[in-house]
C-alpha cells in the first residue's frame, strides 16, 4: 500500500530536509550575528571587550550604498581654498598697486618740484635781465641827456682879466702851456694891456709888418700860429693872446719862459 505523500507533517519535514547546505550556513550566520549583537549590547561601557569564536568567525557585510555628503564636503573645501587663494592674490595685487601709486606720486612730486625750481630760476633770470636792460636804458638816456644838454656858455668880462681867463680856457682845450702870470707880465711889457697897440718904429715895422695887439704879434706869425675857434682878426684880444702863446710854446716851451722881446 503506497505512502500518503500529502501528509502535512511529513511534507514540511521533507521541505526542510531539502534546504541546501548554503541556506543552512546563511541561517547559522544570521543567528550568530544576532547573538554577537546581543553580546556587545550586554557588555558594560567600562568592561573589557570579549570576542567569541562565533563573532570572530562571522562574515561582515559591507554596504554598497554611496556615502552621502562626502563629495559636497570636498567641494566646499576646494571652494574655500580657491577663495583663500584669490584673497591672497587680490591682497598682493592691491599691495603692488599701492606701491606703484606711491612711487608715481613721489615721481610726480619730484617732477613738480623740479618744474617749480626751473620756473623760479627762469623767472629770476628774466627779472635780472630785465633789470639790466632797464639800467642800461636809463644809463643811455642819462648819457643822451648829458650829450644833448647844452653847455652853459661861460661869460668873461670884456677887460684884460676876462681876456686872459678866456684865452687860458682855450689854451687848456688845445694843450697849449701857459699861466695867468706868464701871460699877464708879457702883455704888460709889450702893450700895457692895450689890444689896439701898434709898434711903428721897430724892425718889423720897417719891414712892413708891425707888431700888433696885446702881445705885439706880427701878421705872418699870427697867421701861422692862429688857434682854431678864435677870431681871425689880429686885434681880437683872445685871438692875439692864444696865437702868441702858441708861438711861444713852439719856440720857448711856454709863454712863461718869455721875459723879453721874442
Amino acid at each position: 500500500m503506497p505512502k500518503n505523500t500529502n501528509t502535512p507533517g511529513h511534507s514540511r519535514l521533507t521541505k526542510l530536509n531539502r534546504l541546501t547546505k548554503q541556506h543552512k550556513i546563511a541561517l547559522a550566520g544570521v543567528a550568530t550575528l544576532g547573538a554577537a549583537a546581543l553580546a556587545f549590547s550586554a557588555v558594560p561601557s567600562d568592561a573589557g571587550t570579549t570576542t567569541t569564536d562565533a563573532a570572530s568567525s562571522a562574515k561582515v557585510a559591507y554596504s554598497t550604498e554611496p556615502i552621502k555628503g562626502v563629495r559636497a564636503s570636498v567641494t566646499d573645501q576646494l571652494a574655500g581654498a580657491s577663495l583663500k587663494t584669490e584673497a591672497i592674490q587680490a591682497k598682493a595685487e592691491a599691495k603692488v598697486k599701492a606701491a606703484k601709486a606711491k612711487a608715481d606720486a613721489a615721481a610726480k612730486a619730484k617732477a613738480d618740484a623740479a618744474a617749480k625750481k626751473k620756473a623760479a630760476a627762469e623767472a629770476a633770470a628774466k627779472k635780472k635781465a630785465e633789470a639790466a636792460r632797464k639800467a642800461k636804458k636809463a644809463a643811455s638816456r642819462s648819457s643822451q641827456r648829458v650829450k644833448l644838454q647844452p653847455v652853459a656858455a661861460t661869460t668873461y668880462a670884456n677887460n684884460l682879466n676876462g681876456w686872459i681867463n678866456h684865452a687860458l680856457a682855450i689854451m687848456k682845450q688845445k694843450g697849449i702851456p701857459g699861466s695867468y702870470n706868464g701871460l699877464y707880465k708879457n702883455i704888460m711889457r709889450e702893450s700895457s694891456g692895450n689890444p689896439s697897440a701898434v709898434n711903428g718904429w721897430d724892425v718889423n715895422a720897417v719891414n712892413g709888418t708891425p707888431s700888433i695887439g696885446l702881445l705885439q704879434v706880427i701878421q705872418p706869425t699870427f697867421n701861422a700860429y692862429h688857434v682854431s675857434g678864435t677870431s681871425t682878426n689880429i686885434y681880437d684880444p683872445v685871438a692875439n693872446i692864444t696865437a702868441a702863446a702858441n708861438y711861444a710854446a713852439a719856440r720857448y716851451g711856454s709863454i712863461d719862459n718869455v721875459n723879453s722881446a721874442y
Side-chain angles (χ1 to χ4, degrees):
M1 184 165 122
K3 294 180 180 181
N4 185 1
T5 59
N6 294 324
T7 305
H10 183 76
S11 176
R12 290 192 197 96
L13 182 58
T14 302
K15 292 180 180 181
L16 182 60
N17 290 333
R18 294 177 180 175
L19 292 174
T20 63
K21 186 177 181 180
Q22 292 180 353
H23 292 166
K24 291 178 181 181
I25 292 172
L27 290 174
V30 170
T32 302
L33 288 174
L38 291 175
F40 277 114
S41 62
V43 177
S45 60
D46 57 348
T49 302
T50 303
T51 305
T52 61
D53 292 339
S56 62
S57 61
K59 292 183 178 181
V60 179
Y62 294 94
S63 174
T64 59
E65 293 294 329
I67 302 175
K68 297 180 179 180
V70 174
R71 182 177 180 181
S73 176
V74 172
T75 303
D76 293 341
Q77 291 179 6
L78 292 175
S82 177
L83 291 174
K84 186 175 181 181
T85 302
E86 291 177 357
I88 293 173
Q89 185 177 358
K91 187 176 181 180
E93 290 178 353
K95 188 175 181 180
V96 171
K97 288 182 179 179
K100 186 177 183 300
K102 186 176 180 181
D104 291 344
K108 186 176 183 301
K110 187 176 180 180
D112 291 343
K116 288 181 180 179
K117 185 176 180 180
K118 183 179 180 182
E122 290 177 351
K126 185 177 180 181
K127 186 176 180 181
K128 186 177 180 180
E130 182 65 17
R133 186 188 67 79
K134 288 182 178 180
K136 185 177 180 181
K137 188 175 181 180
S140 178
R141 287 197 301 268
S142 177
S143 176
Q144 289 175 359
R145 283 196 297 270
V146 170
K147 290 179 180 179
L148 296 176
Q149 183 178 3
V151 178
T154 303
T155 58
Y156 299 96
N158 190 24
N159 54 32
L160 181 59
N161 181 64
W163 299 332
I164 293 175
N165 284 324
H166 192 182
L168 285 171
I170 295 172
M171 289 165 61
K172 184 177 180 180
Q173 291 177 354
K174 303 296 183 178
I176 301 171
S179 66
Y180 186 95
N181 290 333
L183 292 173
Y184 181 80
K185 72 178 182 178
N186 281 286
I187 290 171
M188 294 305 294
R189 186 188 68 251
E190 294 293 334
S191 66
S192 299
N194 180 10
S196 300
V198 178
N199 185 335
W201 54 266
D202 65 2
V203 67
N204 290 323
V206 173
N207 293 331
T209 56
S211 299
I212 300 172
L214 291 174
L215 284 172
Q216 293 293 285
V217 183
I218 62 175
Q219 190 68 48
T221 301
F222 178 84
N223 294 339
Y225 291 94
H226 174 260
V227 176
S228 62
T230 63
S231 174
T232 56
N233 184 357
I234 194 172
Y235 288 95
D236 181 85
V238 176
N240 189 280
I241 293 173
T242 54
N246 194 22
Y247 164 74
R251 185 168 183 178
Y252 304 103
S254 172
I255 192 67
D256 295 344
N257 298 330
V258 178
N259 297 304
S260 62
Y262 59 104

